[in-house]
Amino acid sequence: SCEPPPSKPRRFLTSVQEVLEWTAKGATDKDRGEKLAKYPDYVEHPDRPRVLHCHDMAGGYNDLADQVYRTAFCSWDCVDIFCYFGHHRVVVPPKCWIDTCHEKGIACLGVICTEHILGQADNALLLKHAPLAAEKLAQIAVFYNFDGWLVNLESDLPGGTVGQCVEFLRILTDCTKRYVGQHAQVIFYDSLDENGKVRYANALATCNKPYFEACDGIFTNYWWTAKDLAMSRHLAGARPSAVYIGVDVWARSGGEQLPCCHTEGPGCAEAIRLIA
């Protein structure tokens, strides 16, 4: 089985307070992923286009997500970065996913996730203790042997704290690279605007560019248009490969005003054609 038995520490945290108090107590070397067999290709070729595969299946930490899907997926040669997504406050990739990624020279990311009204208090706590939280998150990554974080804040920030959030991203990026290595990545999800409110730009835009500039990249929401792609390319400047354009395999829309530009499944090829 991919996940340790219940008697061992779970691989996700449910609150920022747990992050601030985290230690490796109770975990063993058997819980840690294997080291990278080789550095990801983007280390040697930082300017070429990259592909981020964000896994989000059945809540994670189960056989469907970690055995069936992992053994069925056969396009590793197209992927540069893998993200194990889940709807917990902090998601640590299962050992089997870290090992599979690292065997193939692919970076493996965990997730920091706040959602809805319930996440607002944890956003406040995260920003209040930003240096300690960043240090702990970097320690978690280096202990379990994965390569960084997708920062997915889908809860509003407290008023007047956008600058603190940007600073948190800078500190987290620096800490993660210091602990894990220069290949480590911290990527921000396109969820917050310039006022710290949840608003998807579906692009790199002026409202989310400060977050982008503070870390290794941005992963956009998937209700974009050709105009959004052009704006993202323009605003990225010398960093176009650090903009990851979201493509949803289910082709979910945001309603009549925010349609998806492609159909589900094989229809994703149309989105890839437009991005390329």
Side-chain angles (χ1 to χ4, degrees):
S1 175
C2 193
E3 183 63 11
S7 59
K8 292 192 175 182
R10 51 181 160 80
R11 290 179 82 90
F12 60 86
L13 307 180
T14 61
S15 69
V16 169
Q17 189 61 44
E18 276 195 77
V19 174
L20 300 177
E21 296 173 356
W22 182 85
T23 70
K25 183 179 180 180
T28 71
D29 285 345
K30 292 182 179 179
D31 301 317
R32 308 177 72 182
E34 297 294 327
K35 291 187 178 295
L36 271 165
K38 59 179 180 178
Y39 281 125
D41 187 64
Y42 61 75
V43 173
E44 188 173 346
H45 304 286
D47 297 326
R48 76 159 181 76
R50 304 175 198 168
V51 173
L52 184 157
H53 175 29
C54 187
H55 165 288
D56 183 4
M57 177 172 280
Y61 303 113
N62 56 65
D63 282 346
L64 181 60
D66 301 329
Q67 299 294 348
V68 177
Y69 185 91
R70 184 173 54 88
T71 54
F73 184 70
C74 58
S75 298
W76 288 107
D77 58 329
C78 300
V79 175
D80 299 285
I81 300 172
F82 172 83
C83 176
Y84 190 86
F85 195 87
H87 297 274
H88 303 287
R89 194 65 75 236
V90 170
V91 177
V92 173
K95 172 176 165 55
C96 58
W97 277 107
I98 300 172
D99 291 348
T100 299
C101 289
H102 285 184
E103 178 186 357
K104 301 175 185 301
I106 293 168
C108 184
L109 306 186
V111 178
I112 304 157
C113 179
T114 60
E115 296 177 296
H116 316 303
I117 292 175
L118 291 175
Q120 292 179 10
D122 261 1
N123 278 348
L125 190 62
L126 181 73
L127 299 183
K128 180 179 180 180
H129 300 284
L132 176 59
E135 193 87 6
K136 290 289 188 176
L137 289 163
Q139 289 172 6
I140 291 169
V142 78
F143 177 80
Y144 286 104
N145 242 339
F146 61 98
D147 308 292
W149 299 99
L150 173 67
V151 181
N152 185 92
L153 304 181
E154 293 186 271
S155 297
D156 291 347
L157 301 181
T161 61
V162 167
Q164 291 174 246
C165 184
V166 169
E167 183 62 17
F168 166 70
L169 290 171
R170 287 198 185 98
I171 297 169
L172 179 62
T173 302
D174 290 345
C175 278
T176 306
K177 290 183 185 298
R178 176 159 46 88
Y179 275 89
V180 176
Q182 290 303 303
H183 72 283
Q185 296 286 294
V186 172
I187 297 172
F188 184 77
Y189 185 62
D190 158 36
S191 55
L192 298 177
D193 65 12
E194 69 274 27
N195 298 311
K197 302 298 183 183
V198 174
R199 179 164 66 95
Y200 308 104
N202 303 296
L204 174 61
T206 54
C207 65
N208 58 32
K209 193 176 180 184
Y211 307 109
F212 168 73
E213 291 177 335
C215 61
D216 293 304
I218 191 168
F219 178 22
T220 77
N221 196 50
Y222 41 83
W223 302 326
W224 45 265
T225 65
K227 183 178 178 181
D228 293 322
L229 294 180
M231 178 173 63
S232 295
R233 179 62 185 87
H234 172 71
L235 290 177
R239 299 177 63 204
S241 61
V243 181
Y244 300 89
I245 304 297
V247 177
D248 180 30
V249 70
W250 302 113
R252 292 167 292 186
S253 74
E256 291 184 4
Q257 300 301 313
L258 293 166
C260 211
C261 72
H262 59 90
T263 55
E264 65 184 31
C268 293
E270 174 61 16
I272 302 302
R273 184 189 68 77
L274 291 170
I275 295 167

